[in-house]
Amino acid sequence: MRLRGQPIASADVQIGILGGTGPAGLGLAARLASVGMEPVIGSRSAERAAQVRDQLVGSWPGRALSVGAADNAGAAACDLVVVATPWDGVTETVSGVADSLAGKVVISMANAVTKMGREFTALLPARGSIAASVQAAAPGALVAAAMHHLPAKDLGDIDQPIESDVLVCSDHKAATAAAMELVGKMPALRALDAGPLSSAAPIEAFTAVMIQLNVRYKTRVAVKLTGIS
């Protein structure tokens, strides 16, 4: 898919990240910048976004990372938008910029996971998945669900590739194609088309299982599916 006549890999294509100052959004911004893309960290406050951006860039002095900073409206104005906001703030954040998201590919990577005692469990959002909630909050957007199983810490460690399959689902072919292309720009990741947006419910929920495995075995598990060449 091309955005405004440019491939996603083009330096002219900006990727806005709502919730970009959180662990997942910040890790994704670092990873995208490390492969020559130009992510824009979004936050409720442009000043907060700029502060976090400066800290991120400063932590990789030898990398010359190109990362922008803006408020949520500025991030939503980018060519493609990723929603990395914590799950309980997704609807409010997306609703506030819904007009800017109309006609754009919007990738939801949020998971509704909580810790109960010593166990992690998946929550069932009212619409079945966070991705479905994003689509409802921005009905004019082309929503895809992707990158749920990529740990924020691993995303942010740009010295190391992440070997993992990434399941992508959407009701819009253009959104599936764009999300898969974006994932494919990051080394060692393989994007797989997991079907319609209804698949987001089990994909998001499985994140709780992966976190539990990480805790139990003190490791970083990844999704790797066999049988697909």
Side-chain angles (χ1 to χ4, degrees):
M1 178 184 177
R2 290 177 180 267
L3 302 174
R4 296 183 183 178
Q6 296 292 332
I8 285 180
S10 170
D12 294 331
V13 174
Q14 288 189 320
I15 311 297
I17 305 177
L18 299 179
T21 58
L26 199 59
L28 179 62
R31 182 68 55 168
L32 293 177
S34 74
V35 294
M37 305 191 73
E38 188 176 352
V40 176
I41 293 174
S43 176
R44 291 182 180 179
S45 164
E47 291 75 16
R48 169 63 175 163
Q51 179 184 36
V52 173
R53 183 271 313 279
D54 292 346
Q55 292 173 349
L56 171 63
V57 173
S59 66
W60 297 97
R63 288 284 191 149
L65 301 180
S66 179
V67 180
D71 58 13
N72 284 330
C78 291
D79 304 292
L80 182 149
V81 178
V82 179
V83 180
T85 307
W87 69 269
D88 52 353
V90 163
T91 298
E92 179 183 359
T93 299
V94 173
S95 296
V97 294
D99 289 345
S100 296
L101 300 179
K104 295 181 181 179
V105 172
V106 176
I107 301 174
S108 172
M109 63 181 296
N111 301 296
V113 176
T114 189
K115 188 175 183 181
M116 301 180 65
R118 300 181 62 184
E119 304 293 325
F120 289 89
T121 185
L123 302 177
L124 183 63
R127 295 183 178 276
S129 69
I130 298 299
S133 298
V134 171
Q135 185 65 85
L142 310 179
V143 176
M147 300 185 288
H148 301 90
H149 304 146
L150 302 180
K153 184 176 180 180
D154 291 358
L155 274 171
D157 184 5
I158 57 178
D159 277 341
Q160 302 296 328
I162 305 175
E163 295 187 9
S164 179
D165 289 338
V166 175
L167 303 178
V168 179
C169 60
S170 177
D171 292 335
H172 309 280
K173 291 182 179 181
T176 296
M180 293 180 69
E181 184 182 348
L182 182 66
V183 169
K185 301 304 177 186
M186 294 178 275
L189 293 180
R190 179 178 68 160
L192 298 174
D193 184 348
L197 200 64
S198 59
S199 295
I203 290 172
E204 292 178 12
F206 190 66
T207 305
V209 178
M210 296 185 67
I211 295 173
Q212 202 63 52
L213 290 170
N214 286 336
V215 172
R216 182 155 299 177
Y217 292 99
K218 296 179 174 59
T219 186
R220 294 287 181 182
V221 299
V223 172
K224 295 287 287 184
L225 301 178
T226 62
I228 303 175
S229 59

